[in-house]
Amino acid sequence: MKNALRALFSPLLNLFEGGPDEYIYKPSHRTILLVVGVLFAGLGGFGLYMVVTTAQYGASLPVIVFLLAAAVCWIVGFLGTDKAVARIWKSR
C-alpha cells in the first residue's frame, strides 16, 4: 500500500527527495513535521467552518492554502524518505 501511495504522490516527493546533496536527519524532524501538519489542518478546518457559517466564500483562499500545507506535511511525513523530511526543514 505504501509503495502505491508513493507512486501516486511521486511528483511531490521527487521535489524533496531529488539531488545528490547531503542532509542531516533526526527522527524528531518527522514527528514535528506531522504535528505541524495537524496544526495546519486545524487552522484549515476552523477556517472552513467559519467560511461556511458566515457565508463569506471569498475567505476560502487561506483555507485552501492551510489544507494544502497540511497535505504536503502529511505526505512527506508519512511517505517521504529521511532525505525528504530533512530537505523540507532545509537540514543540510
Side-chain angles (χ1 to χ4, degrees):
M1 181 69 176
K2 186 174 181 178
N3 289 333
L5 289 174
R6 281 189 53 82
L8 178 67
F9 293 114
S10 65
L12 174 68
L13 292 173
N14 288 338
L15 290 174
F16 297 107
E17 293 174 351
D21 55 340
E22 296 195 17
Y23 60 94
I24 299 170
Y25 172 76
K26 296 178 184 173
S28 63
H29 290 166
R30 188 176 303 271
T31 304
I32 293 169
L33 185 63
L34 294 173
V35 169
V36 168
V38 169
L39 294 175
F40 276 134
L43 284 170
F46 178 72
L48 183 63
Y49 170 75
M50 294 304 293
V51 164
V52 170
T53 58
T54 61
Q56 298 291 326
Y57 299 107
S60 59
L61 180 64
V63 171
I64 293 169
V65 170
F66 283 132
L67 292 177
L68 284 175
V72 169
C73 288
W74 286 340
I75 290 168
V76 173
F78 285 121
L79 300 175
T81 61
D82 294 345
K83 183 176 185 177
V85 173
R87 284 193 63 191
I88 208 166
W89 291 116
K90 303 288 185 202
S91 301
R92 295 178 189 168

